[in-house]
């Protein structure tokens, strides 16, 4: 082979050489959304039984297993129809808060320390919606590569009930719009690389990101 050409056994009237081209395929990790490097080994997983297989990078394989993703080649067994998932634990429950039957608001359990404000309830509900979305896995996967993240939950001016969730590292940031009454309550709004691109109000870091990508507002319990 010379100069990208290969000899062929073509008959009379045909060129003795054929041009050889390489076809590259871009692969993206389904959890952290990072473009995989050439030659980087990825494992294929199905997010649920019967779902299409997707690529997962080495850094995110533990996250995939934690969320019950099925590794390619793993034997499966028939399941009995029933509730698909266990009840999702809301963020209020994780913080030791519960929703009372007497009123539709989140309140601390006994002994009562203080009553949450309307703004604090809005933060908790926005975080709960974010944590129920697929973006939590994305953020958790990125955090495994870039380390601890800063986060904020800020009400959007002029839009009742909508919140902006910003998750940032020194070299990358993501911003999500949370609309509680929408059919798609959480969506990626924009992303960037420099923190200077963000307005100052979005850098009021009033939340944190747990190891698994869970968004937790910093709310005092006293």
């Amino acid at each position: 082979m010379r100069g990208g050409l290969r000899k062929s056994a073509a008959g009379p009237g045909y060129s003795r050489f054929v041009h050889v081209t390489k076809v590259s395929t871009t692969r993206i990790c389904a959890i952290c959304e990072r473009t995989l490097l050439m030659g980087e080994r990825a494992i294929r997983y199905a997010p649920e039984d019967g779902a299409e297989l997707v690529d997962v990078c080495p850094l995110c394989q533990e996250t995939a297993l934690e969320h019950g993703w099925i590794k390619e080649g793993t034997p499966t067994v028939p399941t009995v129809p029933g509730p698909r998932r266990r009840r999702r634990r809301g963020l209020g429950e994780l913080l030791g808060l519960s929703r009372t039957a007497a009123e539709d608001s989140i309140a601390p359990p006994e002994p009562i320390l203080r009553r949450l404000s309307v703004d604090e309830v809005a933060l908790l509900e926005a975080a709960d919606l974010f944590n129920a979305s697929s973006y939590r896995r994305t953020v958790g996967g990125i955090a495994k590569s870039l380390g601890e993240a800063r986060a904020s939950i800020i009400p959007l001016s002029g839009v009742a009930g909508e919140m902006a969730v910003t998750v940032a590292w020194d070299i990358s940031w993501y911003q999500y719009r949370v609309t509680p009454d929408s059919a798609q309550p959480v969506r990626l709004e924009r992303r960037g690389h420099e923190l200077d691109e963000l307005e100052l109000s979005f850098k009021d870091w009033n939340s944190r990101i747990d190891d698994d990508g869970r968004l937790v507002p910093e709310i005092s319990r006293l």
Side-chain angles (χ1 to χ4, degrees), residues 85-185:
R85 298 182 179 179
R86 64 182 180 181
R87 182 178 66 87
R88 177 171 55 86
R89 297 178 65 196
L91 186 66
E93 182 180 347
L94 293 174
L95 294 179
L97 307 173
S98 60
R99 191 175 295 276
T100 64
E103 56 181 339
D104 189 24
S105 64
I106 300 175
E110 296 294 343
I112 295 177
L113 300 177
R114 68 177 178 85
R115 185 170 297 279
L116 296 176
S117 68
V118 174
D119 290 341
E120 288 170 333
V121 171
L123 293 181
L124 287 172
E125 293 183 339
D128 201 12
L129 288 171
F130 178 86
N131 293 334
S133 72
S134 61
Y135 296 116
R136 179 173 69 85
R137 293 194 298 270
T138 300
V139 167
I142 297 173
K144 288 182 180 296
S145 300
L146 300 184
E148 185 177 354
R150 287 168 283 186
S152 69
I153 308 174
I154 306 296
L156 291 174
S157 59
V159 186
E162 289 198 331
M163 312 283 279
V165 171
T166 305
V167 183
W169 294 266
D170 290 337
I171 61 173
S172 181
W173 57 266
Y174 295 78
Q175 191 167 82
Y176 305 88
R177 180 183 290 258
V178 179
T179 310
D181 296 329
S182 172
Q184 183 182 353

Side-chain angles (χ1 to χ4, degrees), residues 5 16 21 23 28 36 44 47 60 82 121 136-137 151-152 163-164 166 168 176 178 180 189 191 218:
L5 300 180
R16 297 174 54 223
T21 59
V23 178
I28 298 176
L36 301 178
R44 305 273 284 171
C60 295
V121 171
R136 179 173 69 85
R137 293 194 298 270
S152 69
M163 312 283 279
T166 305
Y176 305 88
V178 179
E189 185 78 0
R191 58 191 294 185
E218 298 286 1

